[in-house]
């Protein structure tokens, strides 16, 4: 079974600074990988996803993530954060052999932005 | 596209009553819908997976008689919390996808349930 770990519970960065949120997964083969963002009291919005191919994935809102098989990682990055990026970020992993699109979520990383 | 709605967004009920939450895919037909539960400052925990026209598959530890799921059509799934108690208070989120592991899940805005 697949699993995903987000080692950082809470990160604070200054507005305009770069951002990297960590995500590590456990799976026997190449999984499907996702990053979602959740604003307070809201549902989840998909930022980007990786199924196969180019390991550097571009998403919405200026985010990107890089799949590194050797490190079992799928870290999320943004070169310059905006105050509106403050939210909870979830990494998720899915199993390609599954007949349905069931995914498992990490514990989340809360991002705060320092003015 | 790919919009999922939930109704109601907020519900407050007395202990012992049942509450129904609706999840609708507005602009696509969802062969699979998922129900999640999220406690404050925690991640989403998958409760069950439902496919249109068949019984839901519940995750380990989720009481199927407590959380009744009906996926009556390709655009509607309902979650009924039966005989709700204060410990059932939580944020319930649904998602919908088209059949297949490569299909992205699209999430609803969530329903906050408070049981008094």
């Amino acid at each position: 079974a697949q699993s995903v770990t987000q080692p950082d519970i809470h990160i604070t960065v200054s507005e305009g600074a770069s951002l990297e949120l960590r995500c590590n997964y456990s799976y026997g083969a190449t999984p499907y990988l996702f990053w979602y963002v959740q604003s307070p009291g809201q549902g989840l919005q998909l930022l980007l996803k990786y199924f196969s191919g180019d390991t550097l994935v571009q998403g919405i809102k200026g985010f990107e993530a890089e799949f590194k098989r050797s490190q079992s990682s799928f870290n999320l990055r943004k070169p310059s954060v905006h105050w509106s990026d403050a939210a909870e970020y979830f990494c998720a992993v899915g199993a390609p052999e599954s007949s349905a699109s069931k995914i498992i979520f990490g514990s989340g990383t809360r991002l705060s932005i320092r003015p | 596209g790919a919009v999922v709605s939930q109704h109601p967004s907020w519900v407050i009920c007395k202990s012992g009553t049942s509450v129904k939450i609706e999840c609708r895919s507005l602009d696509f037909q969802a062969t699979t819908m998922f129900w999640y539960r999220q406690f404050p400052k925690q991640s989403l925990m998958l409760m069950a997976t439902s496919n249109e026209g068949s019984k839901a598959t519940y995750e380990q530890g989720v009481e199927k008689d407590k959380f009744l799921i009906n996926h009556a059509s390709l655009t509607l799934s309902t979650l009924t919390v039966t005989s709700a108690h204060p410990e059932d208070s939580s944020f319930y989120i649904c998602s919908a996808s088209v059949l297949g592991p490569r299909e992205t899940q699209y999430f609803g805005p969530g329903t906050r349930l408070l049981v008094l």
Side-chain angles (χ1 to χ4, degrees), chain B residues 54-107:
Chain B
S54 62
K55 289 184 178 180
T57 301
Y58 290 81
E59 295 298 303
Q60 190 173 11
V62 178
E63 300 176 60
K64 60 180 181 181
D65 295 329
K66 174 74 171 177
F67 300 99
L68 300 179
I69 292 172
N70 183 282
H71 194 159
S73 74
L74 288 172
T75 59
L76 173 65
S77 177
T78 60
L79 168 68
T80 301
V81 183
T82 62
S83 186
H85 291 284
E87 58 267 28
D88 298 323
S89 299
S90 191
F91 193 49
Y92 292 89
I93 303 175
C94 76
S95 69
S97 73
V98 179
L99 181 64
R102 276 187 172 239
E103 294 299 327
T104 302
Q105 288 187 35
Y106 297 96
F107 286 80

Side-chain angles (χ1 to χ4, degrees), chain B residues 9-86:
Chain B
S9 56
W10 262 100
V11 57
I12 302 174
C13 69
K14 293 182 179 180
S15 184
T17 60
S18 294
V19 175
K20 179 184 284 188
I21 302 170
E22 291 187 349
C23 176
R24 294 182 184 271
S25 57
L26 298 184
D27 51 3
F28 68 103
Q29 292 186 324
T31 50
T32 305
M33 287 187 171
F34 303 85
W35 286 95
Y36 295 85
R37 184 174 181 176
Q38 186 180 32
F39 290 104
K41 300 187 184 301
Q42 295 189 27
S43 187
L44 282 74
M45 300 301 296
L46 180 65
M47 299 174 65
T49 303
S50 74
N51 293 295
E52 185 264 340
S54 62
K55 289 184 178 180
T57 301
Y58 290 81
E59 295 298 303
Q60 190 173 11
V62 178
E63 300 176 60
K64 60 180 181 181
D65 295 329
K66 174 74 171 177
F67 300 99
L68 300 179
I69 292 172
N70 183 282
H71 194 159
S73 74
L74 288 172
T75 59
L76 173 65
S77 177
T78 60
L79 168 68
T80 301
V81 183
T82 62
S83 186
H85 291 284

